[in-house]
Amino acid sequence: MSISLNDRASAHVERMIADAERLRIGVARGSLGETLVDCGAKVLGGIDAGLALAETCLGGLGHVTLGPAEALPRWPWTISVRTSNPATACLASQYAGWALSDKEGGSGFFALGSGPARALARREEVFHDLAHREESARAVLVLEAGSPPPASVIAKVAGDCGIAPDALSVLYAPTRSLAGTVQIIARVVEVALHKAHALGYRVERIVDAAGAAPMSPPHPDFVTAMGRTNDAIIYGGRVHLFVTGPEAEAKELAAGLPSRTSRDYGAPFAEVFKRFKGDFYAIDAMLFSPALVTVTAMETGASFHAGELSAALVDASFGG
């Protein structure tokens, strides 16, 4: 693919900056000349900021919208995502797989990086299995964080991406914010792609994808907010994947994808997190997937369904 994720995402960032007042976002220059876009930390931000942030995180290769749906009557507002380049948009860009910390500066900063800057740095194993090769003189990084990264992290990111620091844009929003809530729930398709990859499926064979999950109410407590955004996908998310290849493999993929295949399925995520004493990596990775999945085999037209929505667990998590 000759498409540059970072060039497309940079165009999104420029539009966000031009519309900063309406989006209620803050724009600043960092000490190394980087562009910093606060979508919900020290500014109000909001749903529109989150939708724009999510599309930027997809490298400009996806559409994210908010609209009504009847799947969960008590939570009718649903975040919908679609992309015709699922492996590239979701795994090469949106997936939060780049661990960034300020080891030298001692500030205590830590965040998982997502967005198309990852495709330039290629620091994660997942890139060994992706066909996309990124070229760009600028980079866009998205962080689930309540503050911008310190200069040491900016320098590392720019160096790993092979760009000047003043060609780097960093967008950030904490989980507790509306924008942060939206951009996390907008990962409903991405988690399906990531789980498919973990199951050994060739993700380039997923040629189109659409998904949706309920908009959860934000919460000022980090663990509660994190739990709600995860539960929106785990118990309320639904995804439709269109794949090439044998019908039998499409059926097998559908059976393996839903969150209910995980040993830790069945309780709100905040409870699971506390059960493992806050050790995120002790939680079964297979839990991070949509509740309901449909996989269509393009060559035969057969569709396979697996999983189910759980209104009771969504209600328990969302507090309603």
Side-chain angles (χ1 to χ4, degrees):
M1 177 181 286
S2 60
I3 290 174
S4 170
L5 292 163
N6 283 282
D7 287 352
R8 293 179 67 89
S10 293
H12 270 261
V13 174
E14 291 171 3
R15 288 192 289 271
M16 290 177 69
I17 291 173
D19 206 14
E21 185 174 359
R22 182 186 69 84
L23 294 174
R24 301 182 302 202
I25 61 177
V27 183
R29 283 281 181 183
S31 62
L32 298 182
E34 72 277 12
T35 299
L36 301 172
V37 182
D38 179 356
C39 294
K42 293 185 177 180
V43 298
L44 185 58
I47 292 173
D48 279 353
L51 296 173
L53 180 61
E55 290 194 345
T56 301
C57 203
L58 284 158
L61 291 180
H63 300 277
V64 184
T65 58
L66 180 73
E70 298 179 358
L72 298 167
R74 299 186 72 179
W75 310 102
W77 291 101
T78 297
I79 296 167
S80 300
V81 184
R82 58 186 172 87
T83 174
S84 292
N85 299 273
T88 303
C90 295
L91 296 185
S93 190
Q94 190 184 27
Y95 174 56
W98 193 3
L100 297 167
S101 62
D102 183 26
K103 295 180 181 178
E104 298 178 0
S107 67
F109 179 88
F110 175 82
L112 291 175
S114 57
R118 297 175 45 250
L120 279 174
R122 299 182 67 85
R123 293 294 175 180
E124 305 154 49
E125 290 187 7
V126 67
F127 285 100
H128 298 162
D129 300 323
L130 298 178
H132 182 75
R133 296 294 182 269
E134 179 75 4
E135 292 184 8
S136 181
R138 48 189 178 170
V140 177
L141 180 72
V142 176
L143 299 174
E144 184 185 333
S147 62
S152 63
V153 173
I154 294 295
K156 171 182 169 48
V157 170
D160 288 351
C161 291
I163 62 167
D166 62 4
L168 174 64
S169 295
V170 180
L171 294 79
Y172 60 98
T175 309
R176 59 174 171 76
S177 66
L178 266 173
T181 295
V182 170
Q183 81 91 5
I184 295 168
I185 295 173
R187 298 174 183 275
V188 61
V189 173
E190 176 255 295
V191 296
L193 267 287
H194 188 258
K195 188 168 182 178
H197 179 258
L199 292 171
Y201 191 82
R202 288 176 53 199
V203 290
E204 281 81 7
R205 285 170 44 189
I206 304 173
V207 296
D208 228 306
M215 171 77 190
S216 66
H219 196 282
D221 175 69
F222 169 72
V223 173
T224 303
M226 177 181 63
R228 288 180 174 184
T229 55
N230 276 285
D231 291 333
I233 295 173
I234 294 169
Y235 300 116
R238 49 206 187 277
V239 166
H240 194 160
L241 306 179
F242 301 85
V243 305
T244 61
E247 183 180 293
E249 293 182 13
K251 182 178 182 180
E252 183 180 3
L253 177 63
L257 278 181
S259 54
R260 72 178 184 187
T261 63
S262 168
R263 68 165 194 234
D264 293 327
Y265 179 91
F269 185 81
E271 293 182 15
V272 176
F273 188 72
K274 292 174 183 176
R275 184 193 313 158
F276 287 98
K277 298 180 171 56
D279 184 354
F280 191 87
Y281 296 100
I283 300 170
D284 180 18
M286 295 295 103
L287 181 64
F288 301 100
S289 49
L292 182 63
V293 175
T294 299
V295 179
T296 296
M298 296 287 288
E299 294 171 12
T300 66
S303 293
F304 304 97
H305 310 273
E308 60 185 356
L309 303 181
S310 175
L313 284 166
V314 170
D315 288 346
S317 175
F318 287 11

